[in-house]
Amino acid sequence: MLIVRGARVVVTGETELTGADVVCSDDGLVTAAAEPGAEVLDATGCVVTPGLVNAHHHLLQTAFRTLPGTRGVPMAQWLPTMATAYAAVGVDDELAHAAASAGLAEALLCGVTTVADHHLTWPADLPDDGVGIATAAATAARELGARLVFVRGSARDDPQDAAASAEAVATALVPPGGVTEDGALQVAVGPAGVHSDAPETFTLLAEVAARHGLRRRTQANEQVDVVVAAERYGRRPLELLDEWGWLAPDVTLAHLCAVTAAEVARLATTGVTATHAPGCDLPMGWGVAPMAALADAGVPVGLGTSGGGSNDAGHLLADARLALQVAPLAGRPVSAREVLGWATRGSADGLGRADLGRLTVGARADLVCWDVTGVADTGVADPVAGLLWASPGRRPRHVVVGGRVVVRDGVLQTRPEADVVAGLTGLLGRRR
C-alpha cells in the first residue's frame, strides 16, 4: 500500500481537495482507507493530478525526430520523406522495442502514465503477422511500468493482411474485451485515414474489433486527408467515415483540423470521441482543430502529442499548454482545468477506460506529483491553472502507476534512463 501525503491540492477529476491523502491499494487501485505500515510518498508542495493519458502517439517516430525535410512542409511531402527514413533503418521487433522504450520513458518523465501508440509502419514481410512488433512495444511498456494501448494501424497495407495481423495481435496480447486484467495493456485497431486506406480496410478492421471487443481509432481531416478524399471520392473525410461505419461510439478521431460547424454538429450525434494534437498540427501548418466547439457540442475531447516525426516531444502537459494558448484562434478560449481534463479523463474516455484519468475510489492508482514550489510558480495565484500556464517544460517530482512509484524525485526507477538512451542511439548508429 502507498499513501501520497502532503499535497497542496489533489485534483481527482471530479473535484479538488486541499491537503488530502491519496491511498493506493496493493492491487493498484485508489482506495478510501489506509492501513498501518503503508509506504508514504512525500508530495509536500505539490499539485497531484491523475496520470496524464496521451491518446494519440506514434512511438516508432521517437527514432526519427527532426529529420531534414520534415519540418513545416505539406503533408504530401512529409509522408514520403518519413517512409524513406523508415526504410533506410528497417522496421522490426528490435527497433520497435528501442523506440517504444525511449518514447515511453520520456512519457513517464513528463507525467504521462498511459500512451496510445498508433503503429502504422509495417515491413512488407510479416512472418508472424506483426505479433513480434506489437509484443516488443508491450514488453517495453512492462519493463518501464507504463500503460500502453497498442493500436494495430494500417497505412496502405493490403486490407486482408492488415485484418489478419490485427486478429493475430489481439489474440496473442489481450483477452476478449481488449484489455488485460491489470489494465496495463490494451489493443485497438485503426487505419491511418481515408487518404491512405480503402473502404475494405475499414470494414475488415471493424469486423476484427467487433469479434474481440476492441476500440477503433483513425485520423481525420488532416491536410492530405481532405485533399485525397475530394480527389478520389468527391467527398469530405467525415462523409466517407460515416458511410463506412466509422462514426460510432467506439471510434476516436484524431486531429479533426478544418471541420465545419455542420460537421461538428454531425459528429455530436454519432457518439464519437475526438483527440486534439496541437503539438503536431500547428508547427507543421496543418491546421487548428476547433476543440472547444466540439466539446460544447457534446463530443468528448482528449489530447495527444502525435509522433516524433511531426512533434519532436512526448510532453503532453506542454501540448496542453499549447492547446490552451491557441484555442481562441479556432473558437472560444478554454480554461486550464478544461484542458487538463482533456489530458486525463477525456483521453481515457476516448479509450473506453473509465478506470483511468481520475483519482476516485476504484480507479487505477495512476498519479503525478507536480512540484509547485520553484521560481517558475512564484506569484502564481492558482496552482492548478499554473500547471499549464507556467513552466512549459515542467517535469514531475513523482509518478505513480498502479500504486507503484516509477519516477521518484525526477528519476526513472524502472530502468536506468541512460540504458534506454544507449539502446536506441546504438541501434540507429549501427543501422544508419
Side-chain angles (χ1 to χ4, degrees), residues 10 124-125 225 349 395 428:
V10 174
D125 181 19
D225 202 50
D349 290 348
R395 295 292 186 96
L428 294 175

Side-chain angles (χ1 to χ4, degrees), residues 176-391:
V179 185
T180 56
E181 185 177 356
D182 62 0
L185 179 63
Q186 181 175 356
V187 169
V189 297
V194 302
H195 66 278
S196 172
D197 294 289
E200 185 183 5
T201 302
F202 283 84
T203 297
L204 293 178
L205 287 180
E207 291 174 357
V208 174
R211 281 194 295 273
H212 291 270
L214 310 180
R215 300 285 297 185
R216 295 183 286 163
R217 310 177 68 77
T218 191
Q219 303 170 127
N221 279 62
E222 286 185 289
Q223 198 176 58
V224 73
D225 202 50
V226 176
V227 172
V228 171
E231 292 176 348
R232 188 176 297 164
Y233 302 100
R235 313 294 292 279
R236 294 275 290 174
L238 295 181
E239 291 180 291
L240 295 170
L241 289 175
D242 199 4
E243 290 178 9
W244 299 350
W246 277 67
L247 294 187
D250 65 322
V251 174
T252 298
L253 305 178
H255 299 293
L256 289 175
C257 301
V259 292
T260 66
E263 288 173 330
V264 169
R266 184 178 196 168
L267 289 171
T269 67
T270 66
V272 299
T273 56
T275 301
H276 192 19
C280 160
D281 295 329
L282 270 85
M284 298 301 288
W286 295 345
V288 182
M291 285 296 159
L294 286 162
D296 290 345
V299 178
V301 172
L303 196 67
T305 60
S306 200
S310 55
N311 177 358
D312 298 304
H315 198 321
L316 193 67
L317 194 70
D319 283 11
R321 184 180 192 265
L322 180 60
L324 188 67
Q325 292 172 314
V326 303
L329 299 179
R332 66 165 173 83
V334 295
S335 72
R337 284 172 172 79
E338 182 175 7
V339 178
L340 184 61
W342 295 352
T344 51
R345 61 188 182 277
S347 289
D349 290 348
L351 296 170
R353 298 294 299 276
D355 58 329
L356 303 178
R358 57 267 288 164
L359 292 176
T360 52
V361 172
R364 305 284 179 183
D366 300 355
L367 60 89
V368 188
C369 301
W370 306 94
D371 191 332
V372 295
T373 62
V375 67
D377 292 290
T378 301
V380 170
D382 180 345
V384 176
L387 290 180
L388 273 65
W389 282 117
S391 188

Side-chain angles (χ1 to χ4, degrees), residues 1 3 5 28 35 58 143 150 275 285 289 300 350 392 408 416 429:
M1 177 168 280
I3 302 173
R5 177 162 291 164
E35 296 178 3
H58 305 289
E143 291 169 346
F150 187 84
T275 301
R408 189 187 298 268

